C-alpha cells in the first residue's frame, strides 16, 4: 500500500474507540426533575462521579449535551499513568513536598482504581499493565530527566533512569515509571454507564444544560426548557459552561493535538512513550482484530490557532515512517485539552463560597488518571466533607499566584485573537472549492462559507456565541474553531465543543462587552 496517499487525508477523521463500540441511546430529559446531585457532562468524570455517588445511595441525574463519551473521552490516547511528562520535580519546587506527594499518590491510586472497577463489574476493556517513559533526544533535558527520577522516587513512584528505548531513535536519557496501564476508554465507560440507571438515578442524552441558577437549591435549565432541581451540582463538561464565578474563562485555555492509528509490519515492543521536548511525540499500542494498532500522537496548538491543521497529521506520518514500516492508517483523530495556568487541574468546590457546587476541569493532556481522581475527590467532598487530595487540586489554591505570568500571557493572547478577528481584511468573492471553508464578506457582513463535496454551500455567522470572538476554519476536521476559548462548531453551525451553549446564528449578535458586564458567558 502506498502510504504517501495518506498525506492527503480526504476522509473525515474517525476515532478507533468510537468505531469499535456501539452508539448509545439514553433518553432525553422531557420533564422537570428533582435529585440530590446533578452532573453536567457524560464523559469519564461525569459517569464515574455518578457511579461512586449512586453507591452512596444518592439520587443522581447526568445531563449530557450530545451522547455520553463522545467528547474528549472519545478522542484520547487512553494512557492510564501518573507520568504527566516532567512534572514532579517542578511540583516539589513550586508547590512543596506535601502537595507534590498528594498529586503523585492520587494519580497512582487512580491507576489501581480503574483495574478494581473493571474487575468488580466484569468490564472487558483491554486493560493492560505497561511501563511509561518520558525520553529526550536533546542534551539539555538530561539533567531534567535525572531530577524527575529522583523527585518521583521520593514521592513513592517506582521510577528509574534508562538510556535506551526499543525504537531506532538516538535518545539521550529517559525516565521509566513501572506499574502503569492502558485500556479502551469507551469499552470501559459505556459498560460502567449501564450500571447507573435505576433507583432514582438517570442518564439523559441530548439534554444540553444552558443555565444554572442559584438559590436554596440549584436549578439547571436545558436547551429544551426542562429543569433539574438539585441540592448539589457537579460541572464535568470539560470546559465549564458556567462562568459567573471563578473567572475560569481567564484561567483555562484549550489546545488541540493529533493521533494516527497505524498498522505496521513490525511488532510493537510494549510500553507507552512521550518525549520531553517539542514538538510532542507519543506512542502506545492497542489490540486490534488479529493484530494491533500503534497510536502515534503529538503536535499541539491552541484551538483555532493552527494555520493548516492537515499538516499536523502529515508530520505524524513522517515521524511514524521513520520508526515503522507502515502498512495502513485505518484511523486518525484529534483531541482537545483544557490547560491550566500552573499545570494542575481545578477539582473541588467551584469557588470558595459555593459549598454545593463542584467542578473538574483542566486535565492538561492527562485526563485518564485525573478524571478518576476527580470522581473520587468530589465523592469524598460530598459524602465526607474532605479529601486527602483536596489541597493540591483546589480550584482556589493560593499557589496559582505563582503562575501570574501565564495568566497575563494567555489573556493577552485572547485579546489579540479577539481584536485580530474583528479587524482582519476579508475577501468579498466566494471562490470556494469542494471540501474547503473560508471567511468571506457577504452583503457587508462576515460569513463562514463551506462547500461540501456535492457542491452545496453552507453559510454560518463566524462570531462565536460564547464571548464574541471570530472563528477560524479547521480544514482537517471541517469545523469552525474559536481562537479565544476553544468553542468549536460544525460547518452547519451546531456546537461540537464548548464552552459555547448556543449554535451559530445570523440573528444572534454577540456583544462581548455586554457579556463581560453581565457575566453572561
Amino acid at each position: 500500500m502506498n502510504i504517501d496517499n495518506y498525506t492527503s487525508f480526504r476522509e473525515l477523521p474517525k476515532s478507533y474507540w468510537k468505531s469499535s463500540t456501539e452508539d448509545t441511546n439514553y433518553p432525553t430529559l422531557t420533564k422537570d426533575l428533582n435529585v440530590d446531585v446533578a452532573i453536567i457532562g457524560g464523559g469519564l468524570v461525569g459517569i464515574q462521579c455518578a457511579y461512586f455517588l449512586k453507591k452512596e445511595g444518592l439520587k443522581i441525574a447526568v445531563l449530557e449535551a450530545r451522547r455520553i463519551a463522545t467528547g474528549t473521552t472519545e478522542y484520547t490516547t487512553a494512557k492510564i499513568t501518573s507520568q504527566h511528562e516532567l512534572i514532579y520535580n517542578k511540583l516539589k519546587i513550586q508547590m512543596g513536598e506535601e502537595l507534590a506527594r498528594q498529586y503523585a499518590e492520587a494519580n497512582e491510586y487512580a491507576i489501581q482504581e480503574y483495574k478494581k472497577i473493571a474487575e468488580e463489574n466484569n468490564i472487558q476493556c483491554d486493560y493492560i499493565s505497561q511501563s511509561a517513559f518520558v525520553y529526550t533526544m536533546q542534551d539539555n533535558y538530561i539533567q531534567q530527566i535525572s531530577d524527575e527520577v529522583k523527585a518521583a522516587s521520593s514521592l513513592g513512584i517506582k521510577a528509574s533512569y534508562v538510556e535506551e528505548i526499543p525504537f531506532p531513535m538516538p535518545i539521550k536519557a529517559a525516565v521509566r515509571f513501572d506499574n502503569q496501564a492502558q485500556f479502551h476508554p469507551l469499552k470501559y465507560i459505556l459498560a460502567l454507564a449501564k450500571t447507573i440507571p435505576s433507583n432514582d438515578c438517570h442518564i439523559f442524552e441530548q439534554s444540553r444544560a444552558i443555565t444554572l441558577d442559584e438559590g436554596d437549591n440549584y436549578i439547571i435549565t436545558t436547551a429544551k426548557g426542562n429543569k433539574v432541581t438539585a441540592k448539589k451540582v457537579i460541572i464535568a463538561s470539560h470546559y465549564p459552561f458556567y462562568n459567573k464565578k471563578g473567572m475560569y474563562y481567564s484561567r483555562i485555555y484549550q489546545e488541540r493535538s493529533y493521533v494516527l492509528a497505524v498498522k505496521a509490519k513490525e511488532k510493537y515492543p510494549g510500553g507507552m512513550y512521550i518525549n520531553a521536548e517539542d514538538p510532542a511525540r507519543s506512542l502506545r499500542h492497542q489490540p486490534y482484530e488479529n493484530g494491533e494498532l500503534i497510536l502515534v500522537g503529538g503536535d499541539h496548538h491552541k484551538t483555532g490557532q493552527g494555520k493548516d491543521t492537515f499538516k499536523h497529521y502529515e508530520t505524524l506520518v513522517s515521524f511514524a515512517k521513520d520508526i515503522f514500516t507502515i502498512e495502513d492508517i485505518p484511523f486518525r483523530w484529534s483531541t482537545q485539552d483544557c490547560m491550566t495556568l500552573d499545570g494542575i487541574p481545578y477539582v473541588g468546590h467551584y469557588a470558595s463560597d459555593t459549598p454545593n457546587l463542584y467542578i473538574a476541569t483542566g486535565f492538561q493532556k492527562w485526563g485518564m488518571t485525573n478524571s478518576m481522581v476527580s470522581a473520587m475527590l468530589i465523592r469524598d467532598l460530598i459524602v465526607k466533607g474532605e479529601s486527602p487530595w483536596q489541597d493540591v487540586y483546589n480550584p482556589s489554591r493560593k499557589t496559582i499566584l505563582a503562575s501570574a505570568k501565564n495568566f497575563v500571557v494567555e489573556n493577552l493572547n485572547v485579546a489579540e485573537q479577539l481584536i485580530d478577528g474583528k479587524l482582519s481584511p476579508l475577501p468579498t468573492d466566494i471562490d470556494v472549492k469542494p471540501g474547503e471553508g473560508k471567511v468571506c464578506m457577504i452583503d457587508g457582513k462576515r460569513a463562514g462559507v463551506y462547500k461540501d463535496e456535492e457542491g452545496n454551500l453552507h453559510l454560518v455567522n463566524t462570531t462565536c456565541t460564547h464571548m464574541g470572538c471570530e472563528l477560524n476554519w479547521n480544514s482537517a476536521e471541517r469545523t469552525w474553531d474559536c481562537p479565544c476559548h476553544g468553542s468549536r462548531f460544525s460547518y452547519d453551525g451546531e456546537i461540537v465543543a464548548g464552552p459555547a451553549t448556543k449554535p451559530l446564528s445570523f440573528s444572534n449578535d454577540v456583544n462581548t462587552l455586554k457579556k463581560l458586564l453581565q457575566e453572561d458567558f
Side-chain angles (χ1 to χ4, degrees):
M1 181 172 291
N2 185 3
I3 296 302
D4 291 335
N5 292 336
Y6 281 97
T7 58
S8 62
F9 287 121
R10 293 177 180 172
E11 299 296 324
L12 278 171
K14 59 180 179 179
S15 156
Y16 166 68
W17 314 127
K18 178 64 175 176
S19 299
S20 55
T21 50
E22 295 181 357
D23 293 337
T24 57
N25 190 29
Y26 290 98
T28 299
L29 181 67
T30 57
K31 62 181 181 180
D32 294 351
L33 186 68
N34 284 269
V35 293
D36 296 320
V37 183
I39 301 171
I40 314 301
L44 276 168
V45 176
I47 297 300
Q48 289 178 145
C49 278
Y51 172 77
F52 286 132
L53 292 173
K54 180 181 180 179
K55 293 179 72 173
E56 299 293 337
L58 298 175
K59 300 176 182 178
I60 310 295
V62 176
L63 298 178
E64 167 54 42
R66 298 190 296 168
R67 297 292 180 187
I68 64 168
T70 57
T72 306
T73 304
E74 182 182 324
Y75 300 105
T76 177
T77 52
K79 297 177 179 179
I80 309 176
T81 178
S82 61
Q83 186 186 74
H84 301 170
E85 298 174 280
L86 301 179
I87 190 173
Y88 292 105
N89 188 56
K90 182 181 75 171
L91 283 183
K92 291 183 71 172
I93 293 171
Q94 293 183 356
M95 304 180 80
E97 176 88 17
E98 174 54 31
L99 296 186
R101 186 174 300 279
Q102 284 186 26
Y103 191 81
E105 289 179 352
N107 284 277
E108 282 281 287
Y109 193 96
I111 299 168
Q112 298 308 313
E113 191 67 15
Y114 272 110
K115 184 178 182 181
K116 176 184 174 184
I117 290 174
E119 289 176 347
E120 288 180 348
N121 294 277
N122 194 28
I123 298 174
Q124 305 301 312
C125 59
D126 304 337
Y127 184 100
I128 302 171
S129 294
Q130 295 281 9
S131 294
F133 300 78
V134 178
Y135 68 89
T136 185
M137 298 173 69
Q138 298 180 9
D139 289 333
N140 58 321
Y141 279 92
I142 295 175
Q143 186 60 51
Q144 293 183 47
I145 294 282
S146 179
D147 292 342
E148 185 72 1
V149 172
K150 295 174 185 176
S153 297
S154 73
L155 298 172
I157 296 171
K158 190 175 181 181
S160 57
Y161 183 95
V162 298
E163 295 180 336
E164 293 181 349
I165 58 175
F167 299 108
M169 290 188 279
I171 75 164
K172 302 291 185 177
V175 53
R176 168 176 172 159
F177 283 15
D178 290 326
N179 305 320
Q180 311 295 293
Q182 64 181 54
F183 74 153
H184 188 307
L186 263 63
K187 286 183 179 180
Y188 166 81
I189 202 63
L190 296 181
L192 192 65
K194 291 178 181 179
T195 70
I196 293 168
S198 72
N199 300 328
D200 294 317
C201 293
H202 314 270
I203 295 175
F204 296 107
E205 295 183 324
Q206 307 289 354
S207 302
R208 182 180 296 277
I210 59 171
T211 63
L212 175 64
D213 295 311
E214 300 180 52
D216 293 338
N217 291 310
Y218 286 99
I219 299 176
I220 301 129
T221 304
T222 69
K224 295 184 178 180
N226 299 109
K227 300 181 185 298
V228 175
T229 300
K231 299 172 185 175
K232 299 178 184 293
V233 173
I234 301 169
I235 298 176
S237 54
H238 189 53
Y239 193 114
F241 83 105
Y242 175 79
N243 272 286
K244 288 196 174 182
K245 293 183 178 180
M247 293 181 65
Y248 284 96
Y249 67 91
S250 67
R251 296 198 281 144
I252 297 172
Y253 64 96
Q254 299 203 70
E255 283 192 353
R256 297 199 66 72
S257 54
Y258 299 81
V259 183
L260 303 175
V262 309
K263 295 177 69 175
K265 181 177 180 180
E266 298 85 358
K267 181 174 176 56
Y268 189 79
M272 306 182 297
Y273 304 83
I274 192 168
N275 59 337
E277 55 267 43
D278 277 334
R281 296 291 181 262
S282 166
L283 294 165
R284 64 154 281 196
H285 89 292
Q286 169 63 33
Y288 174 67
E289 295 179 348
N290 295 323
E292 63 183 7
L293 295 171
I294 300 172
L295 306 189
V296 182
D299 266 34
H300 63 89
H301 59 85
K302 289 191 72 171
T303 301
Q305 298 184 32
K307 297 302 180 183
D308 183 355
T309 47
F310 273 114
K311 291 190 179 300
H312 300 292
Y313 288 117
E314 292 170 3
T315 58
L316 292 181
V317 171
S318 178
F319 171 74
K321 287 168 66 176
D322 288 341
I323 304 173
F324 307 106
T325 306
I326 302 176
E327 297 178 333
D328 195 7
I329 308 178
F331 305 97
R332 67 182 171 97
W333 62 91
S334 63
T335 190
Q336 185 145 307
D337 298 298
C338 284
M339 316 297 285
T340 65
L341 298 177
D342 61 1
I344 302 298
Y346 304 136
V347 183
H349 294 292
Y350 183 90
S352 58
D353 60 348
T354 59
N356 295 316
L357 181 62
Y358 306 86
I359 190 169
T361 189
F363 297 160
Q364 309 290 106
K365 310 290 184 182
W366 308 105
M368 298 301 98
T369 52
N370 274 316
S371 63
M372 179 64 80
V373 171
S374 297
M376 294 187 290
L377 191 159
I378 292 174
R379 172 202 59 193
D380 288 348
L381 290 180
I382 290 174
V383 176
K384 303 175 183 177
E386 61 181 2
S387 163
W389 313 316
Q390 66 189 45
D391 293 337
V392 68
Y393 283 95
N394 184 357
S396 302
R397 56 186 177 267
K398 292 182 174 59
T399 52
I400 295 176
L401 293 174
S403 303
K405 178 181 177 182
N406 291 340
F407 175 88
V408 173
V409 169
E410 294 307 327
N411 283 283
L412 278 175
N413 179 261
V414 169
E416 288 169 358
Q417 295 298 322
L418 176 61
I419 295 169
D420 287 350
K422 301 296 184 186
L423 300 181
S424 298
L426 299 173
T428 55
D429 61 319
I430 310 179
D431 181 17
V432 184
K433 300 174 183 177
E436 183 180 39
K438 63 171 61 174
V439 181
C440 299
M441 191 68 75
I442 301 176
D443 294 333
K445 295 183 178 180
R446 296 177 62 96
V449 183
Y450 167 71
K451 182 181 284 188
D452 63 29
E453 300 298 337
E454 286 72 42
N456 300 309
L457 290 177
H458 303 260
L459 274 66
V460 298
N461 183 346
T462 59
T463 301
C464 181
T465 57
H466 175 230
M467 288 184 70
C469 296
E470 293 301 326
L471 306 173
N472 292 324
W473 178 245
N474 177 340
S475 57
E477 320 296 325
R478 300 182 197 175
T479 57
W480 295 101
D481 297 357
C482 178
C484 295
H485 302 103
S487 294
R488 300 178 63 232
F489 303 85
S490 71
Y491 57 73
D492 282 326
E494 295 301 317
I495 299 169
V496 173
T501 60
K502 297 178 181 179
L504 301 177
S505 170
F506 282 104
S507 63
N508 186 10
D509 186 16
V510 181
N511 186 316
T512 304
L513 181 59
K514 182 178 178 182
K515 277 181 166 282
L516 284 168
L517 292 174
Q518 295 181 353
E519 296 185 322
D520 177 22
F521 34 77

